[in-house]
Every structure is written in structure tokens, then in C-alpha cells.
Amino acid sequence: MKGAALVTGASRGIGRAIAATLAREGWAVCINYLQRKDAAESLLAQLRAEGCAAMIYQADVADRGQVAAMVRAVEKEFGAVELLVNNAGISHQALFQDTGDETWDRLLAVNLTGTRNTCMEVLPGMISEKRGCIVNISSMWGLRGASCEVGYAATKAAVVGLTKSLALEVAPSKIRVNAIAPGCIETDMVKVLGEETKAMLVEETPIGRLGQPEDIANLVSFLADDKAGFITGQVITADGGFIV
Ligand code: NAP
């Protein structure tokens, strides 16, 4: 068995596929969720039936205390977290000037501070083991900008800055930190945009389709592997050629 992996926001969408892929590859996976206990439980049951090691844990990544309790629970169950995937995220579509303080603050709290909170809690274990891998899920919108998603895109750009800077800081401890910038991936997050927008996004994607959660999960699997042992501080885009 590989070590302990914590995947945030793993009840649905991209995180769910990441957790399933890692568990099937032998990682002992913690499936974090916020509200959808039913979805987290169904994934847990599915993975355990396949003989995988998995647990679920409800925590709001924006809350440092909840994150700390979650990481302690994973350590108790599976040992120190060796792989952290910061996937939990929220988006919001509105004109910049119509985006209120509460929405702005929540975007930052979940997408940026959430990533910071989990890193803070797993790093002591990784540093003492001189081993660890962190994969942050940013977005192509954080790289190229997105009209009517200024708050979301700003948090995802900030995740890129966090990734590069932290990678430099913890490299001497043999910890790698990378980010993935997905393009349009077919999940609930994209469903809310409606069929017309989805068709437009497919048209704009050179490879001619939306991405599937597994497209991102496969990349996480590679980055987590020792095969990627010389890769750190990078942002890898998986977007079907959208922003080439
Ligand atoms: P999704 O289908 O909306 O799923 C979001 C997941 O995050 C759910 O499991 C949700 O838990 C969890 N979550 C939300 N807020 C949380 C919080 N505060 N604490 C813990 N968990 C929380 O989203 P997705 O499309 O899979 O996106 C996953 C990540 O990829 C996000 O960071 C997103 O920004 C990024 N991304 C997505 C796309 C895309 O096209 N889909 C493109 C670029 C980047 P519950 O089920 O319990 O609510």
C-alpha cells in the first residue's frame, strides 16, 4: 500500500475521480466533503467493496480548526499525509460590480485560504518525513482571466502564486508542490452554465469536447508518482488546447 492521501472536495466531480483513481492505485484515501455526505458515502462504499483503503471526513476547508481536526483524523487512521490534493473549490458568475462582499470573501476563504489551511496542517508531517507531494487545483481561468468570474479567477491565480512560492520554500525538504489548471470539465460546476454556454465552450476547445474528471485525475496520479520526482513549482494545463 502507498501512503495516506487527502483529497479535498472529493464527494463529487473532479475530486471524486481523483480520490477513486488514487485509491485504486493503492493510496489510503481520505474523501473530504462539505455537504454531500450521501455522495461521499457512496464513493466510500464503492471503494471499500473494491478492497481499497478509504475514509470520509466532513470539513469546511475554509475553517482552520476543522481542517486541523481532519488531518489529525487521517494521521490516526492512515499515518502522516504524504499526498495532499487541494481540489475543493467554489465558483461564482456575476459582473465584478455585482459581486458582493460576502461572495468575494467566501471565494477567497474556500479557494485560497482553504488551500493554505490544508498545507499548513500537513506540512509538519511531510517536513519531518522529508517526503511529500501537494497538488493544487487551479483553473485555466486563473491563467487567462475570465469575464464575469473576476473573483473566482483571482483566487485561482493566487493559487498559482502560492504553488510556486511554496514549492521553492519546501523543496529542500523533498516536498514537491505543483498545480493543475483544468479547462472546462464536465461536472456540476459547469452544468450550472447551461447547455448553450457548454456548447460554446466545446466549440472553443480545439480538441472538440469538454474534459472529463478522469482527465484531471490521471494527471494528479502522474504528479503524485515518483516518475514526476523532478517536477515541482509547475502549473500544468489540461484544457484540450483552450489557451494554447
Ligand atoms: P463541483 O462539481 O462543484 O464539486 C465541488 C466539490 O468541492 C464538492 O465535492 C464539494 O463538496 C466540495 N466543496 C465545496 N466547498 C467546500 C468546502 N468549503 N470545503 C470542503 N469541500 C468543499 O466542482 P468541480 O467542477 O469538480 O471542481 C473541482 C475543482 O476544480 C475546483 O477547485 C474548481 O475550481 C476546479 N476547476 C473546475 C473546472 C471545471 O470546469 N469543472 C475547471 C477548472 C478548475 P459537497 O459535495 O459536499 O458540496
Side-chain angles (χ1 to χ4, degrees):
M1 196 174 83
K2 295 183 179 173
L6 168 59
V7 185
T8 65
S11 46
R12 293 181 287 121
I14 296 171
R16 186 181 180 93
I18 294 170
T21 298
L22 295 175
R24 287 173 183 139
E25 287 175 348
W27 289 93
V29 173
C30 175
I31 300 157
N32 159 251
Y33 69 98
L34 182 60
Q35 287 172 319
R36 291 289 306 276
K37 189 174 187 198
D38 58 325
E41 279 177 340
S42 81
L43 179 58
L44 178 70
Q46 192 182 323
L47 292 175
R48 283 194 174 157
E50 292 175 32
C52 301
M55 64 183 278
I56 59 171
Y57 199 98
Q58 194 265 335
D60 182 347
V61 294
D63 184 311
R64 178 81 188 268
Q66 291 182 31
V67 170
M70 171 168 66
V71 172
R72 299 298 85 78
V74 180
E75 289 168 349
K76 198 164 167 227
E77 188 82 9
F78 296 137
V81 174
E82 278 185 38
L83 170 60
L84 166 66
V85 185
N86 281 309
N87 166 82
I90 52 169
S91 61
H92 184 77
Q93 286 81 37
L95 285 170
F96 176 63
Q97 286 167 290
D98 292 340
T99 305
D101 293 351
E102 212 174 294
T103 304
W104 180 267
D105 289 348
R106 185 66 183 158
L107 283 165
L108 277 163
V110 176
N111 296 357
L112 178 60
T113 308
T115 300
R116 175 254 187 194
N117 286 341
T118 50
C119 290
M120 290 288 266
E121 292 301 328
V122 303
L123 274 172
M126 289 183 174
I127 290 167
S128 81
E129 296 287 322
K130 288 236 176 312
R131 181 180 173 79
C133 177
I134 297 174
V135 181
N136 297 324
I137 307 299
S138 173
S139 167
M140 69 170 178
W141 303 121
L143 302 179
R144 66 154 260 184
S147 164
C148 294
E149 281 195 287
V150 173
Y152 175 74
T155 63
K156 292 298 180 175
V159 165
V160 169
L162 182 153
T163 300
K164 292 183 178 183
S165 305
L166 187 60
L168 292 172
E169 194 168 311
V170 298
S173 296
K174 312 295 174 225
I175 298 162
R176 296 183 299 110
V177 188
N178 290 293
I180 294 175
C184 301
I185 311 296
E186 213 160 2
T187 67
D188 293 344
M189 196 178 267
V190 164
K191 227 178 255 170
V192 300
L193 301 175
E195 286 306 314
E196 207 175 304
T197 310
K198 253 174 70 177
M200 240 170 58
L201 291 169
V202 171
E203 210 162 287
E204 277 186 75
T205 305
I207 218 127
R209 66 169 175 90
L210 294 185
Q212 293 303 312
E214 289 70 24
D215 289 317
I216 305 306
N218 291 335
L219 186 49
V220 172
S221 153
F222 170 69
L223 287 172
D225 195 88
D226 288 343
K227 283 179 190 159
F230 204 48
I231 302 175
T232 196
Q234 301 305 303
V235 184
I236 302 175
T237 303
D239 67 353
F242 201 104
I243 59 165
V244 169

